[in-house]
Amino acid sequence: DAEITQSPRHKITETGRQVTLACHQTWNHNNMFWYRQDLGHGLRLIHYSYGVHDTNKGEVSDGYSVSRSNTEDLPLTLESAASSQTSVYFCASRQAGDLDTQYFGPGTRLTVL
Amino acid sequence: GQQVMQIPQYQHVQEGEDFTTYCNSSTTLSNIQWYKQRPGGHPVFLIQLVKSGEVKKQKRLTFQFGEAKKNSSLHITATQTTDVGTYFCAGYDNYGQNFVFGPGTRLSVLP
């Protein structure tokens, strides 16, 4: 069955370190998204991609970057991790249109000490 | 920018009671989607509404999209412990530029 996976599921790192969170989907979806989830803020969009080599900034993109070299993967990189980036990160994908469902990965819990 | 609010933030109900969460957008939405997230889980799509005034039902869940396409509601009849979780609404503004999630309503159901 097609699915969307994230790794690692849990990560503890130190301030200033570079961290990359992986997202892999086998739906063959064109659109992929990264969100962070914090208490009281719901899901906030970090970056998104509508296809290979396409990336766009979301609402809270500062301190994060993404790259899309193939359809299946959209890794999220924290260039220099900060304590404010401690959060749960969700990757999501959808086929193409605005009216399509987003399918979410299981999430990565990141702690920055 | 576009803002999506949900009320209440938290709701505790006795099993068997009804529950309603409301979603309000600062701008007109082209569509509204509802997601459910169980504790410790990830958001799972429930339904999408597109037309003004649209009402859809899924068993004990009733979803409504306002006439002005700026608000929506989710009503659960006779809640069960399996309904526990956080319910999010999300939608695109009419320009299709921004897809924004509301902050969610966390539902607790006491047996």
Side-chain angles (χ1 to χ4, degrees):
Chain A
D1 286 343
E3 60 178 358
I4 180 167
T5 57
Q6 293 183 235
S7 63
R9 295 294 312 278
H10 302 271
K11 174 78 175 177
I12 300 175
T13 191
E14 295 177 342
T15 301
R17 296 276 183 111
Q18 183 182 77
V19 177
T20 296
L21 309 183
C23 175
H24 179 81
Q25 53 98 1
T26 59
W27 299 96
N28 202 34
H29 285 166
N30 290 318
N31 299 353
M32 295 183 73
F33 307 83
W34 273 104
Y35 295 90
R36 61 178 288 173
Q37 185 174 39
D38 306 286
L39 278 176
H41 289 280
L43 291 152
R44 291 185 290 174
L45 184 63
I46 305 171
H47 281 285
Y48 59 101
S49 168
Y50 286 159
V52 176
H53 302 310
D54 176 74
T55 61
N56 305 280
K57 294 181 178 181
E59 177 190 359
V60 290
S61 60
D62 287 348
Y64 304 94
S65 64
V66 293
S67 61
R68 187 91 180 269
S69 59
N70 58 53
T71 300
E72 296 79 17
D73 300 288
L74 186 70
L76 176 71
T77 297
L78 287 68
E79 302 293 343
S80 178
S83 57
S84 60
Q85 293 177 308
T86 293
S87 186
V88 179
Y89 291 85
F90 288 100
C91 178
S93 73
R94 94 179 161 206
Q95 177 54 28
D98 294 349
L99 300 186
D100 289 330
T101 304
Q102 288 196 27
Y103 295 91
F104 283 81
T108 294
R109 183 174 295 275
L110 176 68
T111 302
V112 183
L113 302 176
Chain B
Q2 179 192 14
Q3 290 186 337
V4 176
M5 305 302 296
Q6 284 184 252
I7 54 172
Q9 188 175 2
Y10 303 96
Q11 184 78 60
H12 305 277
V13 299
Q14 205 72 37
E15 189 173 20
E17 292 182 340
D18 292 356
F19 160 76
T20 303
T21 175
Y22 299 91
C23 176
N24 295 289
S25 171
S26 59
T27 60
T28 303
L29 300 169
S30 61
N31 65 333
I32 192 94
Q33 296 180 351
W34 284 92
Y35 292 77
K36 176 184 178 181
Q37 183 177 22
R38 294 182 185 275
H42 59 275
V44 175
F45 175 81
L46 292 176
I47 208 161
Q48 174 168 260
L49 305 170
V50 179
K51 299 178 183 177
S52 170
E54 189 172 12
V55 178
K56 287 188 176 181
K57 292 189 176 184
Q58 286 181 349
K59 297 183 181 178
R60 295 178 294 104
L61 277 62
T62 302
F63 304 83
Q64 188 166 9
F65 202 7
E67 293 290 340
K69 300 184 76 173
K70 294 181 72 174
N71 55 72
S72 181
S73 64
L74 158 59
H75 179 81
I76 303 178
T77 303
T79 54
Q80 299 176 357
T81 54
T82 54
D83 295 325
V84 165
T86 301
Y87 293 84
F88 295 96
C89 64
Y92 268 104
D93 61 24
N94 253 349
Y95 301 101
Q97 296 293 321
N98 298 304
F99 187 73
V100 178
F101 277 84
T105 294
R106 184 181 297 181
L107 173 65
S108 297
V109 179
L110 305 174

